[in-house]
């Protein structure tokens, strides 16, 4: 068993450093740097990934903090809800764009031969982008749940509004029927004289015009609400489509893992084939040498015996 002289070596090095003029503070810095080396600088890819991760965390906090405003009826106006939805849409678009840029960077590193990054490093970069995609997918799925709640609320409000409009229209029709059954001769002016036929016809014409205008405005209002509902449904479907696109990240990750494993297996197989070829060549040479040696021995013994 050897003698451990590490402590003696350190004392000799420290004494030599003192003789060279190093101060105690410098020695402490050198010792600390040796024990705890400085961390390596973070690459631009990792910096961008950390920023995207921070943005996703902030977006998730924003969505969860505004859940009551967005889902509870009467907690906020439609304009405030639309503002929340627009902010979330901008946040998802920005994060998706930055994740796409990171994915392109990883692909460029993978395709570049002069990058000096190993296959494990490339797989690590792709894994980072997939993790960010999964986190963004989780956040968007939470907001999709909130949007489905709001869509149901809007549908219920639209049905109640249509039922109320139908009741109002029925009451107006009944009132017009009752007013139509009266005798026009009973209508008198404020001065006590019976109303003239021209005034009665003009009033009836104006009433018909008002009714037609009201029906037209009601139709336009229903069309506007229908268009608004359709736009909300399209936005919801677009968000769901984006979530489905992000869900393909798992399949892409699996395919990429299989591709990396296949490439490693191919490399290992090529090495084994090279070894087999070398062994086959050496075996062939040995067999030929043995056969030649045996032939010469037989010839020698035949000559010796003769």
């Amino acid at each position: 068993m050897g003698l451990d002289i590490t402590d003696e070596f350190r004392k000799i090095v420290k004494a030599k450093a003192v003789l060279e003029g190093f101060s105690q503070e410098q020695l402490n810095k050198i010792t600390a740097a040796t024990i705890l080396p400085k961390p390596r600088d973070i690459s631009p890819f990792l910096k961008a990934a950390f920023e995207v991760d921070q943005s996703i965390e902030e977006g998730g906090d924003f969505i969860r903090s505004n859940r009551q405003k967005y889902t509870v009826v009467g907690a906020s106006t439609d304009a405030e809800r639309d503002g929340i939805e627009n902010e979330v849409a901008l946040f998802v678009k920005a994060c998706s764009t930055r994740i796409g840029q990171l994915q392109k960077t990883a692909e460029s590193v993978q395709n570049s031969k002069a990058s000096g990054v190993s296959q494990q490093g490339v797989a690590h970069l792709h894994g980072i982008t997939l993790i960010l995609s999964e986190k963004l997918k989780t956040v968007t799925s939470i907001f999709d749940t909130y949007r489905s709640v709001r869509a149901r609320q809007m549908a219920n409000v639209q049905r109640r509004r249509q039922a109320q409009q139908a009741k109002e229209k029925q009451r107006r029709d009944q009132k017009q029927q009752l007013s139509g059954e009266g005798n026009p001769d009973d209508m008198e002016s404020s001065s006590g004289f019976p109303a003239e036929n021209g005034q009665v016809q003009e009033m009836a014409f104006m009433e018909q015009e008002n009714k037609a205008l009201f029906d037209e405005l009601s139709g336009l209002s229903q069309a506007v609400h229908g268009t608004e509902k359709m736009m909300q449904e399209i936005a919801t479907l677009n968000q769901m489509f984006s979530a489905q696109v992000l869900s393909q990240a798992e399949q892409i990750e699996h395919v990429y893992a299989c591709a990396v494993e296949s490439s490693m297996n191919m490399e290992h197989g090529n090495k084994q084939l090279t070894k087999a070829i070398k062994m086959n060549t050496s075996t062939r040479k040995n067999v030929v040498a043995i056969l030649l040696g045996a032939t010469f021995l037989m010839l020698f013994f035949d000559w010796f015996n003769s």
Side-chain angles (χ1 to χ4, degrees):
M1 184 174 179
L3 181 64
D4 187 7
I5 59 173
T6 304
D7 294 335
E8 296 295 331
F9 175 75
R10 289 178 179 175
K11 290 179 181 179
I12 293 172
V13 171
K14 185 176 181 180
K16 182 64 175 176
V18 172
L19 292 175
E20 293 292 334
F22 285 89
S23 63
Q24 187 64 34
E25 185 178 358
Q26 292 176 343
L27 292 175
N28 293 334
K29 288 182 179 180
I30 295 172
T31 306
T34 305
I35 298 174
L36 296 175
K38 294 182 179 180
R40 292 181 298 176
D41 294 334
I42 301 177
S43 63
F45 184 91
L46 293 179
K47 289 182 180 179
F50 285 140
E51 291 177 358
V52 174
D53 182 70
Q54 185 66 27
S55 299
I56 293 174
E57 292 290 340
E58 293 176 357
D61 294 338
F62 174 78
I63 291 173
R64 285 186 285 271
S65 63
N66 289 279
R67 179 183 65 84
Q68 186 174 3
K69 276 186 179 182
Y70 192 79
T71 57
V72 178
V73 178
S76 61
T77 61
D78 291 338
E80 291 176 351
R81 290 184 176 183
D82 293 338
I84 294 172
E85 190 167 345
N86 291 332
E87 289 185 11
V88 173
L90 293 174
F91 147 74
V92 172
K93 183 178 179 181
C95 290
S96 299
T97 302
R98 298 182 70 181
I99 292 173
Q101 292 175 353
L102 292 175
Q103 183 67 31
K104 291 181 180 179
T105 303
E107 291 176 355
S108 64
V109 171
Q110 181 180 2
N111 297 327
S112 177
K113 296 181 179 179
S115 60
V117 182
S118 62
Q119 291 184 354
Q120 291 78 10
V122 174
H124 177 67
L125 298 181
H126 284 286
I128 290 174
T129 56
L130 292 175
I131 290 172
L132 293 175
S133 299
E134 287 296 323
K135 291 190 70 172
L136 183 60
K137 173 189 170 184
T138 303
V139 174
T140 53
S141 63
I142 295 173
F143 190 70
D144 287 339
T145 304
Y146 298 165
R147 294 188 67 173
S148 62
V149 172
R150 186 189 179 189
R152 288 195 296 270
Q153 292 175 356
M154 293 180 65
N156 294 331
V157 171
Q158 184 67 20
R159 284 195 294 270
R160 288 195 296 268
R161 187 178 298 170
Q162 290 177 355
Q164 185 178 1
Q165 290 178 356
K167 289 181 181 179
E168 291 179 356
K169 185 177 180 181
Q170 185 178 2
R171 286 197 297 268
R172 287 196 306 271
D173 293 339
Q174 292 177 357
K175 186 176 180 181
Q176 290 175 0
Q177 290 178 2
L178 293 175
S179 62
E181 291 176 357
N183 189 2
D185 295 336
D186 295 336
M187 299 177 61
E188 296 182 357
S189 62
S190 58
S191 59
F193 295 99
E196 297 181 357
N197 293 331
Q199 293 179 353
V200 173
Q201 293 178 358
E202 185 177 357
M203 291 176 64
F205 181 73
M206 291 178 64
E207 186 175 356
Q208 291 178 358
E209 285 187 349
N210 291 333
K211 180 181 178 182
L213 182 60
F214 181 80
D215 292 339
E216 184 179 358
L217 292 176
S218 299
L220 289 175
S221 177
Q222 293 179 0
V224 169
H225 288 298
T227 304
E228 182 180 2
K229 181 181 178 182
M230 186 181 299
M231 292 298 295
Q232 293 292 337
E233 291 178 354
I234 291 173
T236 303
L237 292 174
N238 188 17
Q239 191 69 26
M240 293 175 64
F241 176 75
S242 300
Q244 291 296 326
V245 171
L246 290 175
S247 67
Q248 294 179 356
E250 296 178 357
Q251 300 178 0
I252 296 173
E253 181 181 5
H254 179 69
V255 171
Y256 181 76
C258 292
V260 172
E261 185 178 1
S262 299
S263 63
M264 293 177 68
N265 291 332
M266 288 291 293
E267 185 178 356
H268 182 68
N270 290 331
K271 291 181 180 179
Q272 294 297 326
L273 285 174
T274 304
K275 290 181 181 180
I277 292 171
K278 291 181 179 179
M279 292 179 65
N280 190 13
T281 304
S282 62
T283 303
R284 191 183 303 114
K285 291 179 179 179
N286 293 331
V287 170
V288 171
I290 292 170
L291 291 175
L292 291 174
T295 303
F296 285 120
L297 285 174
M298 290 178 66
L299 293 173
F300 175 75
F301 285 129
D302 182 66
W303 173 79
F304 183 77
N305 292 328
S306 63

